Amino acid sequence: MAACVTGFLTGLSLILAIGAQNAFVLRQGLLRAHVLPLCLLCALSDAVLIAAGVLGFGALTQALPGLPRVMALGGAAFLLVYGAQRLWAAWKGDYGLVLSGRSAPLGATLAMGAAFTWLNPHVYLDTLGLVGAVSTQFEGSHRLAFGLGATTASFVFFFSLGYGARLLAPVMTSAASWRVLDTAIAAVMWTLAAGLVLSA
């Protein structure tokens, strides 16, 4: 039980920081569009990565020392482009479709969610590196319990964020509100991208 709780708290502490993936889930939650499949995609992706981390997949980065830099630069490029898209949307201020509750199609939404998950170098550091490292203090079934706890944290977080976002819906009833949100998201994306470039 202690291993499971430790895994849950470890996973939750790593995922709470506002990042690109979280901001995207929040935005879709506000739109109330494709929330269930998007949350499932993010949580299941985390589950795969956490399992890999607990099983010792972190050794891959030791075998391929150049991999973290390639991942960092690729992730930075993606974040720069998405940040520019959000800033462009804020500048145009045309939120008719958003205010009517319309979103990108399911396929496009899931593709974007997958990109935010799998092109983000931080997710590998958190799941393969940090979660994997903490899991080494447990053996056998206790390590499995730790991994299950960390995976549960991801499911709880993403579904709480996706469905809890509707509590903010009354505030997001004007183009001005969405302009502020998109500007903030662009700032987060570019800040994360700058950090990735500097660390590469």
Side-chain angles (χ1 to χ4, degrees):
M1 183 65 177
C4 187
V5 172
T6 301
F8 184 88
L9 294 177
T10 301
L12 194 62
S13 65
L14 291 174
I15 203 172
L16 276 177
I18 293 298
Q21 183 188 45
N22 298 351
F24 184 67
V25 173
L26 175 65
R27 194 173 195 279
Q28 287 301 126
L30 287 168
L31 287 172
R32 302 186 186 191
H34 315 307
V35 178
L36 176 61
L38 178 61
C39 290
L40 273 175
L41 170 73
C42 293
L44 290 173
S45 294
D46 263 12
V48 170
L49 290 165
I50 288 168
V54 170
L55 293 173
F57 190 73
L60 177 63
T61 57
Q62 294 178 345
L64 300 171
L67 184 60
R69 186 170 189 272
V70 172
M71 288 166 44
L73 293 177
F78 174 75
L79 293 174
L80 284 171
V81 171
Y82 187 74
Q85 290 176 338
R86 297 278 45 91
L87 199 60
W88 175 253
W91 185 74
K92 283 180 60 180
D94 182 13
Y95 288 99
L97 293 178
V98 170
L99 293 174
S100 68
R102 294 175 64 185
S103 169
L106 175 61
T109 299
L110 292 181
M112 191 68 76
F116 278 122
T117 301
W118 295 95
L119 293 180
N120 177 10
H122 288 297
V123 77
Y124 296 99
L125 174 64
D126 290 347
T127 55
L128 300 181
L130 298 178
V131 171
V134 176
S135 74
T136 58
Q137 65 184 293
F138 301 103
E139 295 293 337
S141 62
H142 294 293
R143 183 177 293 187
L144 174 62
F146 174 88
L148 289 174
T151 299
T152 301
S154 287
F155 275 86
V156 169
F157 175 79
F158 282 118
F159 280 90
S160 297
L161 180 62
Y163 285 100
R166 63 187 58 194
L167 298 175
L168 295 174
V171 181
M172 306 301 293
T173 56
S174 68
S177 299
W178 280 95
R179 184 179 283 117
V180 170
L181 177 66
D182 273 341
T183 301
I185 289 175
V188 169
M189 300 300 161
W190 285 358
T191 300
L192 292 171
L196 289 176
V197 170
L198 291 174
S199 67

